Amino acid sequence: MNLDWDFMIESLPLYGDAMWLTVRLAFISILFSLMIGLLFSLVLFYKVKGISGAIRAYVELSRNTPLLVQLFFLYYGLPKVGLQMSEFTCAIVGMTFLGGSYMTEAFRSGIEAVGQSQLESGLSIGLSKIQLARYVILPQALAISIPSLGANAIFLLKETSIVGAIALMDLMNVAKDLIGMHYKTAESLLLLVLAYLLLVLPLSLLLSWVERKVRHAEFGN
Amino acid sequence: MPNLGIEVLFEGSNFQRLLGGLLVTIEISFLSIIIGTLLGIVMGLLRTFDSKALRLVLRLYLEAFRIIPILVWLYVAHFSFSPLLQIDISGEATAILVFSLWGAAEIGDIVRGALESMPKHQVESGQALGLSSGQLYRYILIPQAVRRMLPGSINLATRMVKTTSLVVLIGVIEVVKIGQQIIELGVIKAPNSSFWVYGFIFILYFLVCYPLSKLSKRFEHKWGN
């Protein structure tokens, strides 16, 4: 196959901008998702009346619907009831809505994996519920949760590929435009795949390294 | 608050059309899961073989789908198959192809995991009891493998149903596309319709996926350690 290298080099800045958009979007929404996940999983752990049920409903709703539909609802549906957001804000809200529930589940399963005897020991030396969470549960739960938190981060990074559907100039949109305007299909698609490899592969390798470390810390092998 | 908008869902044949669109989504997921499972079982078996080269190739195949977003694969297939093969391939066929290959990779991994986690003594105990190899599979290996595979496979099915919503972006006429058509047609008569139509599609997806993920959780509880 003969590739038009000049065309590819000329399009690099466009892909660069789109990658930067993806990185910002992923970073902000992963950060927000982590905060939501930590907060909500603690609410679930303390079984706060009223709120716990609402959080469980949110988790199920968010996990069982596609991001594309969530984004369309936020972007096209909500302005009709007077809630208008910019494309970028909309993407952040959508990604956080989706990511928050995945992170909540990851933290929750980490908290549940902390042994019952740990809780009882903490209570028996007179720790308050807050102290118990702060000194006993969270440090252990975080270590246990790291692999699934990382997997969720990668999942969210990949999900950013959908934001082009609400008119953000992301990698998918750049590739589609280039194909539409110049018919350089192979070149545009190759750059698209390379861009995602460049974004996701380092994170994926980092995650498997961290996972090995965590396993070592947990089981010593 | 939105006034006079929800009736757009029940105007004319809109309701049936949206459900029909959902059916396209379900059809694509269903076919892909069937084809993916058949291919995936073969792939999972191959991945337990000793050949290093074979393992590497299949591992790379799996990682390719894990690292590159499915939407990118849909684009690649959509923009390159028809010109490359010189035949007209519909968006739906493209989608089924991509989802089947993705499913095969993931199911392959689930099958491999199930096979590798099977303790050796299970086979040995069976043989010691004098079971024939047919009986060994029938009473010992397959029931245990299915238990290990079912929760993950159903989870994958949920993910697939959700991900098939993306096929609208390569021009397949499914539930989201039909929703867009309804909104465009009624833009003057029912200006608030996008709130209700997208809200309804949102709920439709939930109604399909929620039972699946509940089922997967139940199996996990029932058979988990």
Side-chain angles (χ1 to χ4, degrees):
Chain A
M1 200 187 313
N2 280 323
L3 292 175
D4 184 345
W5 293 101
D6 291 336
F7 172 78
M8 286 172 76
I9 290 164
E10 273 167 37
S11 340
L12 281 182
L14 284 174
Y15 280 92
D17 289 347
M19 276 171 84
W20 176 230
L21 174 79
T22 297
V23 168
R24 276 184 301 155
L25 199 60
F27 181 79
I28 299 173
S29 46
I30 288 169
L31 201 68
F32 284 165
S33 302
L34 282 170
M35 290 183 336
I36 286 186
L38 188 59
L39 185 71
F40 283 10
S41 60
L42 283 175
V43 173
L44 289 177
F45 173 70
Y46 286 124
K47 300 195 172 66
V48 182
K49 256 195 199 135
I51 314 178
S52 287
I55 289 179
R56 269 197 297 274
Y58 152 70
V59 168
E60 295 299 347
L61 208 57
S62 136
R63 285 173 62 90
N64 288 304
T65 47
L67 178 62
L68 183 75
V69 178
Q70 295 169 1
L71 285 178
F72 276 171
F73 183 70
L74 287 171
Y75 187 66
Y76 297 112
L78 284 190
K80 305 293 177 201
V81 290
L83 235 164
Q84 192 116 30
M85 290 179 275
S86 74
E87 289 87 359
F88 192 75
T89 317
C90 209
I92 299 270
V93 173
M95 299 264 307
T96 307
F97 179 79
L98 180 76
S101 67
Y102 280 82
M103 294 300 188
T104 304
E105 287 285 282
F107 279 119
R108 193 187 52 88
S109 62
I111 291 175
E112 274 175 10
V114 176
Q116 192 67 29
S117 60
Q118 294 279 335
L119 304 186
E120 284 160 6
S121 316
L123 289 174
S124 73
I125 58 169
L127 295 183
S128 72
K129 263 188 146 182
I130 305 284
Q131 285 173 321
L132 191 68
R134 164 85 180 72
Y135 297 108
V136 181
I137 298 165
L138 281 183
Q140 298 183 63
L142 283 181
I144 301 170
S145 307
I146 280 176
S148 45
L149 295 176
N152 289 345
I154 291 179
F155 164 72
L156 285 175
L157 180 60
K158 285 162 64 186
E159 287 287 286
T160 56
S161 59
I162 296 164
V163 299
I166 55 166
L168 276 164
M169 215 40 199
D170 78 323
L171 287 164
M172 305 302 297
N173 248 348
V174 166
K176 201 174 150 191
D177 269 9
L178 288 177
I179 292 170
M181 285 189 297
H182 304 285
Y183 295 107
K184 303 276 185 199
T185 310
E187 288 85 350
S188 309
L189 291 176
L190 186 63
L191 285 174
L192 176 66
V193 172
L194 285 178
Y196 272 107
L197 273 182
L198 212 61
L199 283 171
V200 187
L201 196 58
L203 199 60
S204 162
L205 291 175
L206 178 73
L207 178 65
S208 43
W209 180 77
V210 170
E211 242 172 84
R212 271 201 303 279
K213 287 279 159 192
V214 172
R215 201 170 302 147
H216 184 77
E218 249 180 274
F219 305 114
N221 58 16
Chain B
M1 276 315 281
N3 53 337
L4 304 170
I6 196 164
E7 23 342 323
V8 77
L9 294 177
F10 306 102
E11 231 160 62
S13 57
N14 284 356
F15 193 76
Q16 290 94 313
R17 286 180 63 209
L18 282 170
L19 288 184
L22 188 70
L23 222 56
V24 175
T25 297
I26 293 173
E27 185 189 292
I28 293 176
S29 342
F30 186 76
L31 282 173
S32 310
I33 288 165
I34 301 283
I35 302 171
T37 305
L38 295 176
L39 281 175
I41 289 172
V42 177
M43 225 167 263
L45 284 170
L46 288 178
R47 280 186 66 191
T48 61
F49 283 15
D50 268 336
S51 158
K52 269 226 165 89
L54 188 65
R55 277 183 174 209
L56 184 71
V57 170
L58 292 175
R59 184 68 202 274
L60 283 178
Y61 172 73
L62 171 69
E63 293 300 333
F65 276 100
R66 291 226 170 129
I67 288 169
I68 306 287
I70 296 301
L71 184 56
V72 175
W73 287 130
L74 281 174
Y75 265 44
V76 169
H78 177 62
F79 284 116
S80 45
F81 281 169
S82 288
L84 217 62
L85 304 174
Q86 301 285 325
I87 41 168
D88 205 20
I89 302 180
S90 71
E92 218 171 310
T94 310
I96 292 173
L97 194 74
V98 170
F99 285 113
S100 298
L101 291 176
W102 171 40
E106 295 279 2
I107 295 272
D109 202 47
I110 294 171
V111 170
R112 177 199 58 85
L115 291 175
E116 280 178 358
S117 70
M118 205 83 79
K120 227 189 165 84
H121 66 80
Q122 292 281 345
V123 177
E124 286 159 3
S125 317
Q127 283 166 339
L129 282 171
L131 296 182
S132 70
S133 69
Q135 288 170 322
L136 208 58
Y137 275 97
R138 165 89 180 70
Y139 296 109
I140 296 180
L141 293 177
I142 291 175
Q144 291 191 59
V146 167
R147 281 176 185 211
R148 276 159 218 232
M149 284 168 52
L150 219 47
S153 312
I154 299 173
N155 239 332
L156 179 69
T158 329
R159 274 164 65 206
M160 265 194 185
V161 173
K162 285 194 294 173
T163 316
T164 43
S165 65
L166 301 182
V167 299
V168 66
L169 302 177
I170 61 164
V172 177
I173 301 194
E174 42 72 87
V175 62
V176 177
K177 183 77 208 169
I178 290 176
Q180 287 170 349
Q181 290 171 350
I182 290 174
I183 291 165
E184 278 162 26
L185 273 176
V187 78
I188 294 165
K189 244 174 52 194
N192 291 333
S193 57
S194 56
F195 178 83
W196 296 105
V197 171
Y198 286 126
F200 182 61
I201 295 174
F202 186 85
I203 292 167
L204 278 183
Y205 268 104
F206 180 75
L207 291 179
V208 175
C209 294
Y210 183 64
L212 281 176
S213 62
K214 262 269 160 318
L215 193 67
S216 156
K217 261 210 184 116
R218 174 170 303 170
F219 283 133
E220 239 166 78
H221 273 291
K222 200 167 147 198
W223 291 330
N225 326 306

